[in-house]
Amino acid sequence: MRIAVVGLLHHPIAEPFAGGMESHTWWLTKKLAERGHQVTLFASGDSDPSLDLNPCVDRAFATNPRAQTVHGRQVCNMVAYAKVVQTICQGSFDVIHNNALHPFLLLNAADMPTPMLTVLHTPVYSELAVAVRYASARNTCGKLSVVAVSKSLSSAWKPLIDSQVVYNGIDVDSWPVVSNRPKRSAFWYGRFVPEKAPHLAIQAALMAGYHIRVAGPMSDQAYFDQQISPLLCNSRVEYLGHLSQAAIKRALSQASVFVNTPLWEEPYGFVYAEALASGTPVATFCSGAAAEILTASCGVLAKERTVPALAKALVEATELSYEDCRERARAFCDIESMVDGYERLYRDLVRNQQGQRKSKKREGFTLANAMLGITG
């Protein structure tokens, strides 16, 4: 199949990945190509050049001088995604995989010649909700299919649109497992922003008497300076910087527990899958899709979003088996299962498109025959 994958533009689709969405889009593009599909990635020009990249903007918005204001980002988004739509309409793609999380493609879905699979990776927010409602109302020919990355997210979007569930996946075999690890060692990684609350992970680890290492980009410098920097004075806290995938794998393999602290309803959480693939048990707040991914054999959910509750969960999680964690990753988080699910939906969209064309062709013959007075 000829597949157009449309990504986010705020960060490049390249290592070191800014977050789970960038990693997901990179792996999706890579795995689809490995399966023999002709895949074109529409993303920023500073994305990984080893992918079949069609840049719709020269630099990702995080470092693009034209996108440093709200108005600037809006203009850049509209211009970039308009270019994507134009290129797809002029091309010969079989299906669009829309990871963009931007209203523009959805608003144009019904008028494009190519069927579109849109994946919801985010909780409901107003701008995207309006576009989803509009696209759903115009989806009379079945050219649009919608997927959510967890059951909890699908339920959140249910009032606006029906969505099938395809869980995210990772390349489980690429994550090494080490059975002999330092005792009482925790690890947190992600973007340093208030809603991910790494300061709570640090406080919980210290309360439990653990050493904790944290890593990730300083996406909110003011938050980092106010909430994280003072905690780094403790000798049991270490900031590792913004790590590559290889470095994250090493850090996870050296931790006795992975701790996560979402203060929002996290739609999936790639960090859970990556920790489990590394054989590292998880302690986290009970939010979003955590309860769908984690079982009692591989994670402990703190029902209260408090430091004492998380400290208790952290200690309990350390006692879980690394073999059970790895087994859960294989059973639930494998990227091949994710790609299988997407391929099935691509085929459904293409078959429906072909059926629509045949139907219109038959209608055309019937009308022409009627005008000529031909019956039977």
Side-chain angles (χ1 to χ4, degrees):
M1 262 186 273
R2 294 158 298 183
I3 304 170
V5 175
V6 186
L8 288 167
L9 301 177
H10 192 70
H11 299 287
I13 309 302
E15 285 202 64
F17 298 118
M21 275 299 301
E22 289 74 27
S23 173
H24 165 74
T25 302
W26 188 91
W27 277 105
L28 172 70
T29 304
K30 182 175 184 291
K31 286 295 182 180
L32 287 172
E34 286 179 1
R35 292 193 178 195
H37 299 291
Q38 185 178 331
V39 187
T40 300
L41 173 63
F42 292 88
S44 62
D46 48 358
S47 296
D48 189 343
S50 71
L51 305 174
D52 187 356
L53 182 65
N54 188 316
C56 48
V57 64
D58 54 349
R59 290 169 59 187
F61 297 163
T63 59
N64 192 321
R66 298 191 302 275
Q68 298 309 302
T69 65
V70 173
H71 176 71
R73 283 192 298 276
Q74 289 174 339
V75 171
C76 287
N77 264 316
M78 295 296 285
V79 170
Y81 287 129
K83 181 180 177 182
V84 171
V85 169
Q86 181 183 36
T87 302
I88 291 174
C89 288
Q90 293 173 346
S92 55
F93 294 99
D94 296 308
V95 69
I96 304 163
H97 185 112
N98 177 19
N99 265 351
L101 300 180
H102 190 273
F104 194 91
L105 269 76
L106 279 166
L107 293 173
N108 288 274
D111 301 313
M112 296 179 71
T114 309
M116 180 186 300
L117 176 69
T118 289
V119 185
L120 300 171
H121 294 273
T122 180
V124 180
Y125 67 94
S126 58
E127 293 86 354
L128 191 60
V130 170
V132 164
R133 186 183 289 112
Y134 176 83
S136 178
R138 297 196 63 207
N139 190 32
T140 55
C141 296
K143 294 173 67 175
L144 173 69
S145 184
V146 178
V147 162
V149 297
S150 65
K151 290 179 181 177
S152 61
L153 186 63
S154 180
S155 296
W157 282 97
K158 179 72 173 176
L160 298 176
I161 198 166
D162 289 327
S163 56
Q164 300 185 61
V165 174
V166 175
Y167 286 105
N168 288 325
I170 63 169
D171 186 13
V172 174
D173 288 336
S174 72
W175 292 79
V177 177
V178 176
S179 57
N180 186 20
R181 304 172 185 233
K183 301 290 185 181
R184 306 174 77 81
S185 58
F187 181 49
W188 181 100
Y189 68 103
R191 290 182 296 113
F192 282 85
V193 291
E195 63 268 23
K196 290 185 177 289
H199 67 286
L200 298 181
I202 296 171
Q203 291 169 5
L206 294 177
M207 178 176 286
Y210 279 53
H211 178 282
I212 183 168
R213 306 166 87 193
V214 296
M218 299 180 194
S219 300
D220 187 325
Q221 188 66 53
Y223 165 75
F224 189 93
D225 293 342
Q226 294 167 15
Q227 297 288 347
I228 304 300
S229 291
L231 297 171
L232 298 180
C233 296
N234 192 301
S235 61
R236 289 191 282 125
V237 182
E238 183 181 2
Y239 173 57
L240 303 179
H242 187 188
L243 303 181
S244 66
Q245 285 278 285
I248 288 173
K249 290 174 183 178
R250 286 193 297 272
L252 272 173
S253 71
Q254 296 165 1
S256 56
V257 62
F258 169 70
V259 58
N260 198 36
T261 44
L263 295 183
W264 63 309
E265 296 304 309
E266 198 161 39
Y268 181 78
F270 280 99
V271 289
Y272 297 133
E274 292 168 354
L276 296 181
S278 301
T280 308
V282 176
T284 185
F285 294 142
C286 187
S287 68
E292 298 174 52
I293 301 170
L294 303 172
T295 65
S297 66
C298 63
V300 179
L301 304 178
K303 294 183 179 180
E304 297 178 357
R305 294 179 182 178
T306 65
V307 169
L310 186 62
K312 182 174 181 291
L314 191 150
V315 173
E316 293 175 359
T318 306
E319 301 302 317
L320 298 176
S321 161
Y322 73 87
E323 294 99 334
D324 289 342
C325 295
R326 179 73 165 193
E327 182 56 35
R328 178 60 176 169
R330 287 192 181 282
F332 193 81
C333 306
D334 188 68
I335 196 169
E336 301 298 341
S337 297
M338 180 194 79
V339 178
D340 287 345
Y342 284 140
E343 282 185 323
R344 184 185 71 252
L345 295 172
Y346 298 158
R347 290 192 292 268
D348 289 345
L349 280 168
V350 170
R351 278 196 297 266
N352 181 70
Q353 181 85 337
Q354 292 170 343
Q356 291 286 334
R357 288 171 180 165
K358 289 179 181 178
S359 177
K360 289 180 180 179
K361 189 174 182 180
R362 285 195 299 269
E363 290 173 3
F365 280 133
T366 301
L367 178 61
N369 289 343
M371 292 175 68
L372 293 172
I374 301 173
T375 60

